[in-house]
């Protein structure tokens, strides 16, 4: 009976995966093909427990292991397509992009390789940081990407981080795990002009923003892409406090239509996906994305 329950759970999970390909704007026309790619790479990753190297966006090379979100670039054309394409349409080679919670490098790789932007990548977990270094070196982007093996918080000090949770490693609430030095965003980048900041810190966003009030209020800081999925409750922070902090700094929430290149206003956050794009000067953002180069993705040119 237990085996049947486990089998049924697995089948339902795979049905849900297939459904996601059928509704994904990039994969819906060939949903079964991308589903087969999903099965293939996960067979290699989990059955053989091996590291897999693949290429996406024509020439970006990646080494991935089981549990890596960046694997989505193999089986789903492009990981987090709305935010990724916004970044590709928005950034230019003169810009500075800060990737907070870079993991193994998805956003840092596409920003440095495809837009030529100057990238600063923050990744606190040492093992993940080594793999981020590996992917940056694999693409010869050492001159475009500055790497920091630290965490960000509301003040300088030390925090404990979980390990072994792949893309969901976060600040530990139990004072156990890996001890990592942390800085505040303002102290670390007080003399830097940051044009776009991506923050994915598994619920610790409020503390990162609190340590970066001066940076948020700078004119040059025009876009924040931030994960808001209610995980801030793990740190007893109501997500509305994160949204209020951004609103008070002049940012408003938007979602991105990748085919129309249109930024659509939202009341508070994007409730259909984890990430929300917050923008200060919407006219500047629209001007930038309208002149951004087209990105070739499988059968699409977007």
């Amino acid at each position: 009976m237990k085996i049947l329950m486990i089998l049924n759970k697995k089948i339902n999970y795979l049905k849900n995966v297939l459904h996601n390909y059928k509704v994904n704007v990039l994969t819906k026309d060939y949903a079964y093909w991308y589903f087969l790619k999903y099965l293939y790479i996960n067979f290699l990753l989990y059955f053989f427990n091996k590291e897999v190297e693949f290429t996406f966006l024509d020439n970006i090379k990646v080494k991935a292991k089981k549990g890596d979100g960046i694997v989505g670039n193999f089986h789903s054309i492009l990981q987090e397509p709305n935010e990724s394409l916004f970044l590709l349409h928005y950034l230019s080679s003169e810009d500075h992009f800060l990737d907070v919670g870079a993991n193994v490098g998805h956003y840092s790789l596409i920003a440095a390789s495809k837009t030529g932007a100057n990238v600063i990548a923050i990744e606190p977990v040492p093992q993940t940081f080594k793999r981020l270094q590996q992917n940056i070196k694999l693409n010869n982007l050492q001159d475009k990407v500055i790497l920091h093996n630290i965490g960000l918080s509301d003040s300088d000090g030390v925090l404990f981080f979980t390990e072994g949770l792949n893309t969901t490693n976060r600040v530990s609430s139990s004072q156990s795990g890996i001890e990592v030095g942390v800085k505040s965003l303002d102290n670390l980048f007080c003399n830097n002009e940051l044009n776009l900041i991506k923050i994915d810190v598994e619920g610790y966003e409020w503390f990162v923003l609190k340590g970066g009030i001066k940076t948020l209020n700078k004119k040059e800081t025009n876009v924040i892409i931030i994960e808001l999925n209610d995980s801030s409750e793990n740190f007893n922070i109501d997500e509305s406090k994160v949204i209020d902090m951004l609103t008070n700094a002049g940012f408003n929430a938007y979602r991105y239509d990748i085919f129309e290149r249109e930024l659509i206003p939202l009341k508070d956050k994007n409730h259909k996906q984890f990430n929300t794009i917050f923008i200060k000067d919407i006219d500047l953002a629209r001007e930038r994305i309208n002149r951004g180069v087209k990105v070739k993705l499988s059968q699409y040119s977007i």
Side-chain angles (χ1 to χ4, degrees):
M1 181 65 71
K2 187 176 181 180
I3 294 176
L4 287 175
M5 289 177 63
I6 294 173
L7 183 60
N8 187 57
K9 186 177 180 180
K10 293 289 185 183
I11 290 172
N12 287 333
Y13 177 81
L14 291 176
K15 284 181 178 178
N16 186 59
V17 170
L18 179 57
H19 171 75
N20 289 336
Y21 287 118
K22 290 180 177 180
V23 298
N24 185 318
V25 293
L26 294 180
T27 61
K28 62 182 181 180
D29 292 337
Y30 301 94
Y32 288 96
W33 165 244
Y34 292 109
F35 180 63
L36 287 174
K37 292 187 73 172
Y38 168 87
L39 294 176
Y40 169 72
I41 197 165
N42 278 283
F43 179 73
L44 295 179
L45 291 169
Y46 286 86
F47 188 81
F48 289 106
N49 195 26
K50 62 184 293 186
E51 185 176 64
V52 174
E53 182 174 332
F54 64 90
T55 301
F56 72 101
L57 285 182
D58 291 333
N59 60 356
I60 299 178
K61 299 176 183 177
V62 169
K63 287 186 176 181
K65 294 181 179 180
K66 64 181 181 182
D68 285 345
I70 204 166
V71 172
N73 291 305
F74 176 84
H75 60 71
S76 300
I77 302 181
L78 185 64
Q79 179 188 346
E80 299 184 350
N82 298 78
E83 297 77 35
S84 297
L85 281 162
F86 171 83
L87 180 146
L88 290 169
H89 291 155
Y90 183 89
L91 287 176
S92 70
S93 58
E94 292 80 29
D95 288 332
H96 290 81
F97 167 57
L98 176 63
D99 189 359
V100 183
N103 202 257
V104 298
H106 168 76
Y107 282 98
S108 291
L109 288 169
I110 66 174
S113 178
K114 294 303 178 182
T115 75
N118 303 286
V119 177
I120 306 167
I122 307 289
E123 175 50 50
V125 180
Q127 287 185 336
T128 307
F129 180 79
K130 289 179 181 178
R131 299 186 53 230
L132 170 64
Q133 282 181 309
Q134 178 187 49
N135 282 329
I136 296 300
K137 187 176 182 180
L138 189 63
N139 291 277
N140 298 311
L141 293 172
Q142 298 95 316
D143 293 337
K144 295 297 297 182
V145 183
I146 298 172
L147 301 172
H148 291 282
N149 184 202
I150 60 172
L152 291 187
S153 188
D154 54 337
S155 60
D156 296 358
V158 172
L159 288 173
F160 290 92
F161 285 79
T162 63
E163 57 182 330
L165 299 179
N166 302 311
T167 58
T168 59
N169 278 312
R170 62 177 185 266
V171 173
S172 173
S173 56
S174 62
Q175 293 296 301
S176 62
I178 304 172
E179 190 173 313
V180 178
V182 297
K183 295 277 188 180
S184 74
L185 199 159
D186 282 341
N187 285 346
L188 192 60
F189 301 110
C190 58
N191 297 319
N192 293 70
E193 293 182 357
L194 303 173
N195 305 95
L196 193 157
I197 303 174
K198 185 229 82 181
I199 305 174
D200 182 354
V201 289
E202 301 302 317
Y204 208 69
E205 289 79 13
W206 185 82
F207 299 92
V208 172
L209 292 174
K210 186 182 178 186
I213 296 299
K214 292 179 181 178
T215 301
L216 293 182
N217 285 312
K218 284 185 177 181
K219 180 181 178 181
E220 293 79 13
T221 309
N222 194 47
V223 178
I224 308 284
I225 299 174
I226 189 167
E227 184 180 64
L228 297 174
N229 62 357
D230 296 315
S231 56
S232 61
E233 294 176 0
N234 293 323
F235 303 98
N236 299 314
I237 297 294
D238 191 296
E239 200 170 74
S240 63
K241 292 182 66 177
V242 178
I243 296 170
D244 287 345
M245 191 177 294
L246 289 167
T247 302
N248 291 336
F251 292 89
N252 292 298
Y254 295 86
R255 67 176 177 87
Y256 189 48
D257 184 322
I258 61 175
F259 292 107
E260 299 297 329
R261 294 202 184 195
E262 183 179 356
L263 287 161
I264 301 163
L266 301 171
K267 182 179 179 181
D268 48 12
K269 71 169 189 175
N270 195 332
H271 292 272
K272 294 184 177 181
Q273 56 195 61
F274 286 167
N275 294 319
T276 302
I277 302 170
F278 284 86
I279 300 173
K280 195 182 294 180
D281 186 339
I282 187 60
D283 291 332
L284 173 62
R286 284 175 173 150
E287 177 189 338
R288 277 172 165 256
I289 61 176
N290 285 333
R291 70 169 184 253
V293 299
K294 287 191 173 184
V295 180
K296 185 70 171 66
L297 293 172
S298 187
Q299 71 269 31
Y300 299 106
S301 183
I302 303 173

